């Protein structure tokens, strides 16, 4: 099948405006006759459901949590990007577009990204109007901070709880429509199949997670805003419930999956502490505005620190290697996430990791505490040379900026990050891959849309910080509500879609057979047992460093593990009750299929991209070369305009990687 991205013709800056001027519309009276199913109530699904209902469509919204408010989006900490240029530091739609494409290693779809940058400013206005309490400066203006990979401050934030506040905004907008009867909300419902009628998505099969009842729901279009699948790695910063099931079921019904192996590895997460762990915790990227990343320069100091004979705070600055500042002086600690992650791994692989497992680097706030303390002492007319006072004042500033993150760190690690540097290590955080969509955000299955983290289009091989919230809300508030109308304009005379048809019968049987198998299997091992094993294969063989040999064996191992799962998994309880293990079993079954596709995709990409090294074991002196053979960059980047584009080239040259040019459309 040839995929048509349906990108409008014309200059990139005019595409979206021209598109909106020429699409088909559905008049308000006809919208009342059209039903839309929205799976997911995170920032993407929640904003889409609220806006479609506001426009007049009848919306059925689904989430597996007990409330839309508990979608994983609530976890987002650091902020949301928008090209408002409030700081007057040279930002523009073009710069946000450019940074996002470059940040994605030139593998995102540029037309979508330009549109994203264009509507980013509207998102902030929309959210402010909803009452989202973005941080403000003393004078009342909205405040901004900086995130990795950019040279401007364009990130809007609400302390370390930006996702929560944005989600409350979307949730309020949804609630208004629930109150009007325009959204019917199905909490604790899990979509387990999509129903295709006459080649079009016309409904879903869902399971009521409280009663176990299997339900049929029809609509003229189905929108998936079901989030990312980082939990295929078992350990990730994602919410425990995040899963691939909705997207995977759509894939099995014919929707293409794009870039499944592109995973964002976030550089600042609390390191893994042992085998008992089921979750990893993010320390927001915003911390890299003030935290400096380092490891000791000398191996003796590494050993002394690991053996608790030396406190990191006592190591003199000249004996520290601030490796990001050293390698990337223009961006320093605020390089993109993939670059920071790879650099931290490189230092740890070379033996400089600072914790017992050797997989941690420091994120140190001492310099910022001193700088802020002096500034505050100066402002208040106090003694700037009083070290104790300066430290206290500086710590106050840091607490105002990042207090909740510092508290979280202390609770988990039992160390006070105001006094000793945090320990951090890269971890799985976000999945750039997802269902393939065209410019309309429609998959290759007519009437089946995909938005937010669940689709593939905007972030290429790496996502810059604060760009996922922007994409989710852009898709839901400003893009899908236009594009879906063009498709639905053909459905104004269709009438209600019946659910008593062979297509619904077949899909429901498919779901019930699956559940019956799982519940009656009576094996010997828990769902987590298999999930953990899958996670280990994924991290060790399909994680940051990849090579053909390991990827081939991962494909084999995952396939064997899947067979073992179906033979030997034990799911307690019954089907007709609230049964979390049963729900989890279905999700892990899908991860076990996705994992294989993931590894196959990684195997076929003979490149390093984003946070992934492609190692090749071609050696001259019998030694393994721990670096990628080559990396593609686009011709556009390589010509080096504007100037900051050289960052990537610098990074590649440092790693002594051959650069291949490729023009990217
Ligand atoms: C710890 C953390 C911090 C982050 N911080 C930031 C940040 O500061 N800035 C930023 O831009 N990004 C951040 N991100 C990324 C960002 O939070 C997510 O990418 C984004 O929130 C995803 O939104 P979404 O609406 O696509 O999906 P989600 O918020 O994951 O929502 C998915 C929805 O789909 C529903 N669902 C899923 N499957 C089914 C099913 N089968 N049936 C029914 N319902 C289903 C769920 O119930 C849920 O309502 C962070 C991510 C993490 C892990």
């Amino acid at each position: 099948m040839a995929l048509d991205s349906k990108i409008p013709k014309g200059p990139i800056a005019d595409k979206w405006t021209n598109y909106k001027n020429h699409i088909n519309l559905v008049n308000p009276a006809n919208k009342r006759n059209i039903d839309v199913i929205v799976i997911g109530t995170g920032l993407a699904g929640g904003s889409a459901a609220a806006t479609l209902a506001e426009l007049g469509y009848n919306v059925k919204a689904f989430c597996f949590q007990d409330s839309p408010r508990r979608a994983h989006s609530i976890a987002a900490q650091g902020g949301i990007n928008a090209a408002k240029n409030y700081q007057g530091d040279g930002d523009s739609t073009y710069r946000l577009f450019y940074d996002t494409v470059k940040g994605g290693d030139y593998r995102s779809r540029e037309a979508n990204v330009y549109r994203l940058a264009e509507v980013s400013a509207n998102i902030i206005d929309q959210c402010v109007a909803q009452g989202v309490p973005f941080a403000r400066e003393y004078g009342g203006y909205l405040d901004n901070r900086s995130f990795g990979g950019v040279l401007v401050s364009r990130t809007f934030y609400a302390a370390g709880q930006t996702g929560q506040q944005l989600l409350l905004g979307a949730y309020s907008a949804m609630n208004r429509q629930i109150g009007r009867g325009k959204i019917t909300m199905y909490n604790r419902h899990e979509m387990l199949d999509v129903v295709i009628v006459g080649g079009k998505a016309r409904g879903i099969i869902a399971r009521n997670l409280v009663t176990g009842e299997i339900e049929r729901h029809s609509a003229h279009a189905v929108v998936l805003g079901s989030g990312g699948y980082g939990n295929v790695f078992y350990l990730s910063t994602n919410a425990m419930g995040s899963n691939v099931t909705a997207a995977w079921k759509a894939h099995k019904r014919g929707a293409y999956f794009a870039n499944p192996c592109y995973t964002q590895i976030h550089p600042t997460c609390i390191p893994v502490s042992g085998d008992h762990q089921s979750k990893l915790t993010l320390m927001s990227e915003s911390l890299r505005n003030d935290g400096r990343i380092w490891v000791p320069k000398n191996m003796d100091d590494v050993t002394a620190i690991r053996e608790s004979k030396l406190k990191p705070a006592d190591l003199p600055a000249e004996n520290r290697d601030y490796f990001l500042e050293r390698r990337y002086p223009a961006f320093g600690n605020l390089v993109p996430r993939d670059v920071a992650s790879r650099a931290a791994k490189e230092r740890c692989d070379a033996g400089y990791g600072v914790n017992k497992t050797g997989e941690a680097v420091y994120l140190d706030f001492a310099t910022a505490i001193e700088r802020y303390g002096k500034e505050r002492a100066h402002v208040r007319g106090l003694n700037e040379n009083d070290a104790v006072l300066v430290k206290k004042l500086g710590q106050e500033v840091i607490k105002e900026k990042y207090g909740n993150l510092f508290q979280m760190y202390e609770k988990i690690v039992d160390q006070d990050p105001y006094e000793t540097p945090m320990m951090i290590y890269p971890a799985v955080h976000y999945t750039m891959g997802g269902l393939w969509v065209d410019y309309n955000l429609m998959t290759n299955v007519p009437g089946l849309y995909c938005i937010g983290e669940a689709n593939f289009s905007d972030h290429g091989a790496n996502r810059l910080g604060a760009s996922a919230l922007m994409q989710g809300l852009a898709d839901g508030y400003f893009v899908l509500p236009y594009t879906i109308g063009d498709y639905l304009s053909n459905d104004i005379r269709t009438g209600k879609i019946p659910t008593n048809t062979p297509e619904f019968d077949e899909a429901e049987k498919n779901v019930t057979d699956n559940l019956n198998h799982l519940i009656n299997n009576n094996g010997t091992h828990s769902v987590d047992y298999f999930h953990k094993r899958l996670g280990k294969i994924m991290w060790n063989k399909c994680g940051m460093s990849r090579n053909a040999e390991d990827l081939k064996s991962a494909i084999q191992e995952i396939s064997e593990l899947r067979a073992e799962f179906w033979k030997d998994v034990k799911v307690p309880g019954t089907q007709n009750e609230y049964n979390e293990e049963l729900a989890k079993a279905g999700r892990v079954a899908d991860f076990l299929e996705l994992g294989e596709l993931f590894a196959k995709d990684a195997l076929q990409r003979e490149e390093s991209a984003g946070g992934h090294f492609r190692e090749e074991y071609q050696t001259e002196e019998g030694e393994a070369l721990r670096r990628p053979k080559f990396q593609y960059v686009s011709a556009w980047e390589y010509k080096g305009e504007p100037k900051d584009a050289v960052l990537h080239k610098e990074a590649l040259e440092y790693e002594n990687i051959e650069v291949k040019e490729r023009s990217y459309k």
Side-chain angles (χ1 to χ4, degrees), residues 29-60:
N30 285 331
K31 287 195 180 101
R32 286 196 282 273
N33 301 323
I34 291 183
D35 305 325
V36 180
I37 285 175
V38 179
I39 304 298
T41 58
L43 286 176
S47 57
T51 312
L52 293 172
E54 179 82 39
L55 285 171
Y57 296 109
N58 308 310
V59 175
K60 292 177 170 188

Side-chain angles (χ1 to χ4, degrees), residues 134 318 573 632:
F134 284 123
E318 62 272 21
Y632 285 118

Side-chain angles (χ1 to χ4, degrees), residues 40-41 43-44 64-65 72-73 76-79 191 429-430 453 466 468-469:
T41 58
L43 286 176
F64 60 72
Q65 292 93 345
H72 158 69
S73 290
Q77 300 171 349
M191 174 201 135
H429 181 61
Y430 180 93
E453 189 172 341
L469 301 186

